[in-house]
Amino acid sequence: MKFTVLYGTESGNSELIAEDLGAKLRETELDVEVADLQDTDPASLGADRFVIVVCSTHGDGDLPNTAIPFAEAFDAALPDLTGMRYAMFGLGDTFYEATYSQGSEHIDRRFAAQGAIRVGEYGRHDASSWDLGSDVALEWLPGVLEAAAEPASA
């Protein structure tokens, strides 16, 4: 399977988590890309790769700065993501109950609206916890891989 790990970040935490997920995937997979959302053309997304998105939340539940250009390009192009499968890992702080992990949900809604299918559990890291984001993401990854290995339903 081919993997693309995309990250949207404000302070670098999502990038570190994405790099750790990419390194873990490379232990068993040959084709793994890790990229910043701001450097990703939404038209390049498709069913040929399994996409993992790691995205933080900024301000009042907004996208982080590096995800904004991607979201704007996405909204302008509205790519057909039929057949694309993906997993989502969001970062946030439960102190901000109403906006917790909303940054990732902005991307999730866009992908789903364009026909992509999210598989596996929605991963989340709470900045108010004592857990390290990469530790939580690496514990989450096996469940995602198990779900990704299952054939897509029609």
Side-chain angles (χ1 to χ4, degrees):
M1 188 178 305
K2 298 176 181 177
F3 289 90
T4 298
V5 183
L6 299 173
Y7 61 89
T9 191
E10 188 71 30
S11 63
N13 290 333
S14 293
E15 180 178 4
L16 293 173
I17 292 169
E19 291 291 344
D20 286 344
L21 289 172
K24 185 66 176 175
L25 287 167
R26 287 185 188 103
E27 290 177 5
T28 57
E29 304 294 333
L30 296 176
D31 192 342
V32 178
E33 298 174 349
V34 177
D36 193 329
L37 279 167
Q38 70 182 348
D39 300 326
T40 303
D41 179 356
S44 70
L45 301 174
D48 62 323
R49 304 186 71 84
F50 187 87
V51 176
I52 297 174
V53 177
V54 180
C55 189
S56 63
T57 303
H58 182 66
D60 292 329
D62 300 322
L63 288 166
N65 277 333
T66 70
I68 292 172
F70 174 83
E72 291 172 349
F74 191 96
D75 293 346
L78 294 177
D80 179 6
L81 301 181
T82 303
M84 186 183 99
R85 299 188 320 144
Y86 70 101
M88 189 66 64
F89 190 86
L91 284 72
D93 189 328
T94 54
F95 180 79
Y96 304 99
E97 187 176 326
T99 60
Y100 173 60
S101 191
Q102 288 294 305
S104 64
E105 293 185 21
H106 289 291
I107 302 295
D108 185 60
R109 284 191 290 273
R110 283 176 168 86
F111 282 10
Q114 293 310 115
I117 305 292
R118 181 164 41 87
V119 300
E121 185 176 331
Y122 199 119
R124 297 184 197 270
H125 176 257
D126 178 7
S128 287
S129 75
W130 290 99
D131 299 324
L132 296 175
S134 284
D135 290 349
V136 174
L138 291 170
E139 290 175 15
W140 164 81
L141 185 60
V144 167
L145 295 177
E146 185 176 319
E150 295 176 9
S153 58

